[in-house]
Amino acid sequence: MTANPFIKQYLMTAGPTPVPPAVSQAMAAPMLYHRAPAFDALYERVLGRLPQVFRTENPVLAFAASGSGAMESAVANLVRPGTKALATASGKFGERWIQLCEAYGADLVRHEPGWGVRFDPADFDRLLGEHPGIEVVFTTLSETSTGVVHDIQAIAEVVRRHGALLVVDAVSGLGAARLEQDAWGVDVVVAGSQKALMTPPGLAFASVSQRALDAANASASGDEASGRGSGGGRYYFDWGRTAKSQAGGASPFTPAVSLFLGLDVALEMIEAEGLEDVWTRHDVLARATRAGALALGLDLYGDPDERSTVVTAIELPGDVDGGKVPGALRKLGITANGGQDHLKGRILRIAHCGYFGAFDILTSLSGLEIVLQQLGHEVEQGTGVGAAQRVFLEAGVLAAA
Amino acid sequence: MTANPFIKQYLMTAGPTPVPPAVSQAMAAPMLYHRAPAFDALYERVLGRLPQVFRTENPVLAFAASGSGAMESAVANLVRPGTKALATASGKFGERWIQLCEAYGADLVRHEPGWGVRFDPADFDRLLGEHPGIEVVFTTLSETSTGVVHDIQAIAEVVRRHGALLVVDAVSGLGAARLEQDAWGVDVVVAGSQKALMTPPGLAFASVSQRALDAANASASGDEASGRGSGGGRYYFDWGRTAKSQAGGASPFTPAVSLFLGLDVALEMIEAEGLEDVWTRHDVLARATRAGALALGLDLYGDPDERSTVVTAIELPGDVDGGKVPGALRKLGITANGGQDHLKGRILRIAHCGYFGAFDILTSLSGLEIVLQQLGHEVEQGTGVGAAQRVFLEAGVLAAA
């Protein structure tokens, strides 16, 4: 029990996100042996469902890892020492691409227009033109640190025109922001279980096109000269190994069995709601959150627009010690993200990613109103909540009375 | 999953009330055999803790039954055909005393000042004076149908002066509204597991004074002439049998094992919070609810005052079809009580009984604002929520930021 009995616990972060009761209940089932028929059927069903969320015909490769493991798999499979790559960052998770590429010895072009800035596809065009021979471009769908969702469709069009492979970090974006991997021509999409897939952390995914898989396989052979071994300097995250094993109906390593049990239910929920409706729900939740913040006289951080459906970054007013806001919310039972790195104390991030409903947004806004008042910023209590309620009413998403 | 994915489920009724996760988790433990040492220890611990919540030195008798079973036990043990009794009702659950007394053949005086009216102790004085020989008085702590909490302390003083036994239905009140059984001289208090005791339905309790137990035992003997058998016409609910069995450390019949596992944790939570603080929390939640309703321009039903800490009955405005309010709330995922019997369609009851925190009240009020708007009653969205937030802020019950 919590120290303060007026307070219950509300997980309002952009990952791990709230787990639906039906998912938790499924994971409480007795442990399955991963080479038994019951797990085989589950594994096949989950792997069969995953591509629909990526909007792809690719096999989606599953790893027991956090989302960063899937990011690492992309770099490990596509970057050898000296590989020419472009990595783009306008926030913390974009910077992770840069760190990974540097760790794997890429010949790297960095594009960093600044935190909170939405990438301009024209910059990709320019950089790919200025640096001929770039083989892989790494970018981000939803930048969790700032709430900005990038225009992957336009970026993909540019990157394909230049003949490079495009790898998209969709860890927080998949299932929360529109992404059409095949229609947009995205070679690789990486994701994790703990965001809009509504499952606890521990599963990482890479949806890999044949073109990317071929490039990965090529990089794994014939480079003994590089001193990295015949496997290309990778084993656990080797796409070829996992793709081959999955095609045979088995996981190459011990899979995270209970997470598969949960993910199976979560994917069924997404299927039942319909992916288009899931995206629409995230859009309405985001609009309500933005309306709530604006009604409180607060500014939105960075460059949000109608794409920013995963998390809303709100600038904290100058008259409060912003660093205290997440802790004060936690005292109300609400776990929400503050800013990371240089945004620490400057923003609050209200998530709406995965298993979020209308009253989650209202609770987050109530908490924000209370905390701002507690910290000395005068708030007409109820104003943000009321504005969000009006969005829900006007959107007609709540059942008619 | 729900039909509308914007909606999660919120149980906001006055019983069954929300079950704390720790209680649910305890009940998921493997089943215990009820004659095994592990259950013996649990049973002893729970029976040891229960009297603290009743503020009594009495043994608290536990039955596998709903709260009405405990009410029936009181009538079965204290009323024989022709026993003179006074039953009082200002709502649906008071009327249950009347029905029970009639079913058991009491020579009954009925006191029914009208739904929503708070009992006046002077009426008890007058009626007991006008009808000498009344042996038992049946009344109600918290009348769930109207939200009114009666002044048991003053009533008990009057009833004891007249020498009668006082039986109080505290099914929804116990643990939510102040009750000091021994200090106030209440002979019998009956309760259930599913209200402020934060446990699922299925356990019923009767805290029985020695005086009442003696009266019950006397009524069980020597009345063969009545044709009701030597056991006084009761068996499962016989207080003497259960008291004797519990004193020996065992339940006379198979106990509801998993409910005991849950209740053990719930009682530990109440102990950790402290009963005085539990009562204060209910008072603050009720004040926030009343402030929210009044800020929306709505009237409170009946005769609520600072004692009305269990459930708040709100009069629905004349321009909405009140019968639609509970159903419309349910479409928002909020299960709340409308009115019962002739109050159907006239009131909404917002509960704050048991495992309720500040954000539960805010969610209920958000839901009410949305539903009134949907049903055509113009509401400045956020007004009620804001008023409740101010109560919480001013009460200082939320941790300082």
Side-chain angles (χ1 to χ4, degrees):
Chain A
M1 90 177 273
T2 57
N4 182 339
F6 280 91
I7 297 308
K8 297 183 179 179
Q9 296 302 310
Y10 304 91
L11 180 63
M12 300 296 196
T13 58
T17 59
V19 174
V23 172
S24 298
Q25 284 161 6
M27 292 193 301
M31 183 50 49
L32 290 175
Y33 179 53
H34 67 292
R35 304 289 183 215
F39 185 78
D40 289 346
L42 169 74
Y43 190 65
E44 186 186 347
R45 191 164 62 241
V46 169
L47 294 180
R49 273 177 168 151
L50 272 170
Q52 301 165 32
V53 185
F54 289 74
R55 291 278 171 108
T56 186
E57 303 282 327
N58 298 333
V60 173
L61 310 181
F63 302 94
S66 62
S68 297
M71 293 176 74
E72 174 137 358
S73 85
V75 176
N77 281 273
L78 296 175
V79 169
R80 288 186 299 174
T83 299
K84 281 195 170 176
L86 166 62
T88 65
S90 70
K92 188 177 181 66
F93 292 96
E95 291 173 359
R96 186 153 303 173
W97 280 135
I98 292 173
Q99 292 156 4
L100 278 162
C101 286
E102 288 177 342
Y104 278 79
D107 177 5
L108 192 64
V109 176
R110 300 159 62 132
H111 174 54
E112 297 171 273
W115 280 44
V117 175
R118 173 165 287 107
F119 295 135
D120 183 348
D123 286 331
F124 287 69
D125 199 28
R126 176 178 54 76
L127 289 164
L128 289 166
E130 287 172 8
H131 301 276
I134 285 180
E135 295 177 35
V136 202
V137 175
F138 295 93
T139 194
T140 311
L141 173 60
S142 164
E143 175 54 60
T144 320
S145 62
T146 66
V148 169
V149 170
H150 296 288
D151 186 350
I152 296 302
Q153 182 173 18
I155 292 168
E157 194 277 323
V158 169
V159 172
R160 283 193 86 79
R161 188 146 34 82
H162 286 271
L165 293 166
L166 177 63
V167 179
V168 172
D169 163 10
V171 172
S172 71
L174 185 86
R178 178 177 293 276
L179 175 68
E180 310 261 14
Q181 182 174 11
D182 287 2
W184 295 354
V186 178
D187 295 283
V188 180
V189 174
V190 297
S193 50
Q194 79 278 20
K195 307 282 189 172
L197 295 184
M198 306 186 291
T199 303
L203 292 180
F205 309 105
S207 171
V208 182
S209 71
Q210 191 58 49
R211 195 164 78 114
L213 200 57
D214 291 346
N217 288 337
S219 88
S221 58
D223 64 345
E224 282 85 351
S226 73
R228 297 179 69 234
S230 65
R234 61 188 189 252
Y235 187 86
Y236 185 77
F237 286 131
D238 185 78
W239 285 346
R241 178 174 288 105
T242 292
K244 193 174 159 195
S245 187
Q246 285 190 183
S251 171
F253 311 109
T254 309
V257 173
S258 61
L259 296 175
F260 269 88
L261 285 164
L263 182 60
D264 186 37
V265 174
L267 291 172
E268 198 179 316
M269 288 173 67
I270 290 173
E271 214 170 283
E273 185 175 351
L275 189 56
E276 290 281 350
D277 286 350
V278 170
W279 290 334
T280 300
R281 173 165 54 84
H282 284 82
D283 173 59
V284 175
L285 296 173
R287 285 199 283 122
T289 308
R290 291 195 292 265
L294 295 173
L296 291 172
L298 304 175
D299 291 326
L300 303 171
Y301 175 77
D303 200 14
D305 70 358
E306 79 284 351
R307 287 188 200 86
S308 296
T309 56
V310 183
V311 59
T312 298
I314 299 170
E315 292 200 15
L316 294 169
D319 59 350
V320 307
D321 180 348
K324 290 188 173 167
V325 169
L329 281 168
R330 197 171 305 118
K331 289 182 185 173
L332 300 182
I334 297 173
T335 304
N337 301 116
Q340 292 172 296
D341 297 350
H342 66 278
L343 291 182
K344 201 166 271 189
R346 285 187 50 201
I347 62 170
L348 176 73
R349 291 177 292 154
I350 294 185
H352 26 75
C353 171
Y355 183 60
F356 277 80
F359 288 95
D360 294 315
I361 301 304
L362 301 179
T363 292
S364 288
L365 290 170
S366 278
L368 176 59
E369 293 180 5
I370 290 169
V371 160
L372 290 178
Q373 184 78 36
Q374 287 179 324
L375 293 173
H377 180 81
E378 196 64 38
V379 168
E380 178 61 31
Q381 297 289 307
T383 309
V385 174
Q389 286 175 189
R390 281 195 299 277
V391 169
F392 291 125
L393 277 164
E394 284 158 20
V397 294
L398 308 174
Chain B
M1 89 175 273
T2 56
N4 181 341
F6 279 90
I7 296 309
K8 297 182 179 181
Q9 295 303 309
Y10 304 91
L11 180 63
M12 300 295 196
T13 58
T17 60
V19 174
V23 172
S24 299
Q25 284 161 5
M27 291 192 304
M31 184 50 50
L32 290 175
Y33 178 54
H34 67 292
R35 304 289 184 214
F39 185 77
D40 288 345
L42 169 74
Y43 190 66
E44 187 187 347
R45 193 166 58 241
V46 169
L47 294 181
R49 274 179 169 151
L50 273 170
Q52 301 165 34
V53 185
F54 290 75
R55 291 276 170 111
T56 186
E57 302 283 325
N58 298 334
V60 173
L61 310 180
F63 303 93
S66 61
S68 298
M71 294 175 75
E72 173 138 359
S73 85
V75 176
N77 281 273
L78 296 175
V79 170
R80 288 184 299 174
T83 299
K84 282 194 168 173
L86 166 64
T88 64
S90 70
K92 188 177 181 67
F93 291 96
E95 290 172 358
R96 186 153 303 172
W97 280 135
I98 292 174
Q99 292 156 4
L100 279 162
C101 286
E102 288 176 341
Y104 278 78
D107 177 4
L108 192 63
V109 177
R110 300 160 62 134
H111 174 54
E112 296 172 272
W115 279 45
V117 175
R118 174 165 286 108
F119 295 135
D120 183 349
D123 286 330
F124 288 69
D125 198 29
R126 176 179 53 77
L127 289 164
L128 289 166
E130 287 171 9
H131 302 276
I134 286 180
E135 296 177 36
V136 202
V137 176
F138 295 94
T139 194
T140 311
L141 173 60
S142 164
E143 176 53 60
T144 320
S145 63
T146 66
V148 169
V149 170
H150 297 289
D151 187 350
I152 296 301
Q153 183 173 17
I155 291 168
E157 195 277 323
V158 168
V159 172
R160 283 193 87 78
R161 189 147 33 82
H162 286 271
L165 293 167
L166 177 63
V167 179
V168 172
D169 163 10
V171 172
S172 71
L174 185 85
R178 179 177 292 275
L179 174 68
E180 310 261 12
Q181 182 176 10
D182 288 2
W184 295 354
V186 179
D187 294 285
V188 180
V189 174
V190 298
S193 51
Q194 78 280 20
K195 307 282 188 169
L197 294 183
M198 306 187 290
T199 303
L203 292 181
F205 309 105
S207 171
V208 181
S209 70
Q210 190 58 49
R211 196 164 79 115
L213 200 57
D214 290 346
N217 287 337
S219 88
S221 57
D223 66 344
E224 283 86 352
S226 73
R228 297 179 69 233
S230 63
R234 61 187 188 252
Y235 185 85
Y236 185 75
F237 286 130
D238 184 78
W239 286 345
R241 178 174 288 105
T242 291
K244 193 174 157 194
S245 187
Q246 285 191 184
S251 171
F253 311 109
T254 308
V257 172
S258 60
L259 296 175
F260 269 89
L261 285 164
L263 182 60
D264 186 37
V265 174
L267 292 173
E268 197 179 317
M269 288 173 67
I270 290 173
E271 215 170 281
E273 186 175 350
L275 188 56
E276 290 282 350
D277 285 351
V278 169
W279 289 335
T280 300
R281 173 166 54 85
H282 284 82
D283 172 60
V284 174
L285 296 173
R287 285 198 284 123
T289 308
R290 292 196 291 266
L294 295 172
L296 292 172
L298 304 175
D299 291 325
L300 303 172
Y301 175 77
D303 200 13
D305 69 358
E306 78 285 351
R307 287 188 201 85
S308 296
T309 56
V310 183
V311 59
T312 297
I314 299 170
E315 291 199 15
L316 294 169
D319 59 351
V320 307
D321 181 347
K324 290 188 172 166
V325 170
L329 281 169
R330 198 172 302 117
K331 289 182 185 173
L332 301 182
I334 298 172
T335 304
N337 301 116
Q340 293 172 294
D341 296 350
H342 67 277
L343 291 183
K344 202 166 271 189
R346 285 187 50 201
I347 63 169
L348 176 73
R349 291 178 291 155
I350 293 185
H352 26 76
C353 172
Y355 183 60
F356 277 79
F359 289 95
D360 294 315
I361 301 305
L362 302 179
T363 292
S364 287
L365 290 169
S366 278
L368 175 59
E369 293 181 5
I370 290 169
V371 161
L372 289 178
Q373 184 77 35
Q374 287 179 324
L375 292 173
H377 179 80
E378 195 65 37
V379 168
E380 177 61 30
Q381 297 289 308
T383 308
V385 175
Q389 288 176 189
R390 281 195 299 276
V391 169
F392 291 124
L393 278 164
E394 285 157 19
V397 294
L398 307 174

